[in-house]
Amino acid sequence: MGITLTDQDKLTLQTAAHGAVYLMAYAAVAHSPHRAATNGSFALYSATGQVGHVLAEKPKGMKLNGKSTAEIADEVLPALTAAMELLKKQDPAEADNFRSTVAVAVEAAAQTRNAQPSPALAEMARKITQAIDAA
């Protein structure tokens, strides 16, 4: 089953996925935010299927300009829920693909030199997962 995504739909998916990585980078401020962003971004760009095609496009109109983590989360967390709702309606397999893509990106962003992610990273990952599961 194919899916039809409008430009706004694509922007929602891109904001959700790239925003999740962005939030993880903010949560990694005590460690290496650059590494978190790089690892998470590489994971997003390894996505396949329709989700992979959308995430590989240059996001047009995506703005994550909040002055705080809270402001960015106010935009990204609802986008994660909306992206899952949108994909579930059109193609449940692509919804699963999106969920696993974001989960891998979050896990990659949480990789630190320590065996365990910091409490801030673990909590942000939990909030991202909760937003995805709210759909």
Side-chain angles (χ1 to χ4, degrees):
M1 180 178 183
I3 62 175
T4 303
L5 298 173
T6 66
D7 288 342
Q8 183 59 47
D9 294 340
K10 290 178 182 180
L11 183 60
T12 299
L13 268 63
Q14 292 164 340
T15 299
H18 292 285
V21 171
Y22 201 64
L23 286 173
M24 291 299 288
Y26 262 73
V29 73
H31 298 283
S32 177
H34 182 281
R35 180 180 295 209
T38 300
N39 290 349
S41 294
F42 284 158
L44 291 180
Y45 291 124
S46 69
T48 59
Q50 184 72 30
V51 166
H53 289 286
V54 170
L55 296 181
E57 293 177 11
K58 181 176 174 143
K60 296 175 186 156
M62 185 176 77
K63 295 180 178 120
L64 297 171
N65 296 328
K67 294 180 182 177
S68 68
T69 305
E71 287 181 7
I72 294 167
D74 287 345
E75 183 176 353
V76 172
L77 297 177
L80 285 161
T81 304
M84 284 298 294
E85 288 171 349
L86 167 78
L87 291 171
K88 280 182 177 180
K89 286 179 187 173
Q90 291 200 35
D91 188 341
E94 279 302 312
D96 290 342
N97 184 21
F98 180 80
R99 186 185 195 295
S100 65
T101 295
V102 172
V104 168
V106 165
E107 185 177 331
Q111 294 294 316
T112 65
R113 292 188 177 137
N114 303 329
Q116 297 290 329
S118 71
L121 281 166
E123 179 62 11
M124 187 59 73
R126 186 195 65 75
K127 288 176 182 179
I128 290 166
T129 301
Q130 185 178 28
I132 288 172
D133 291 344

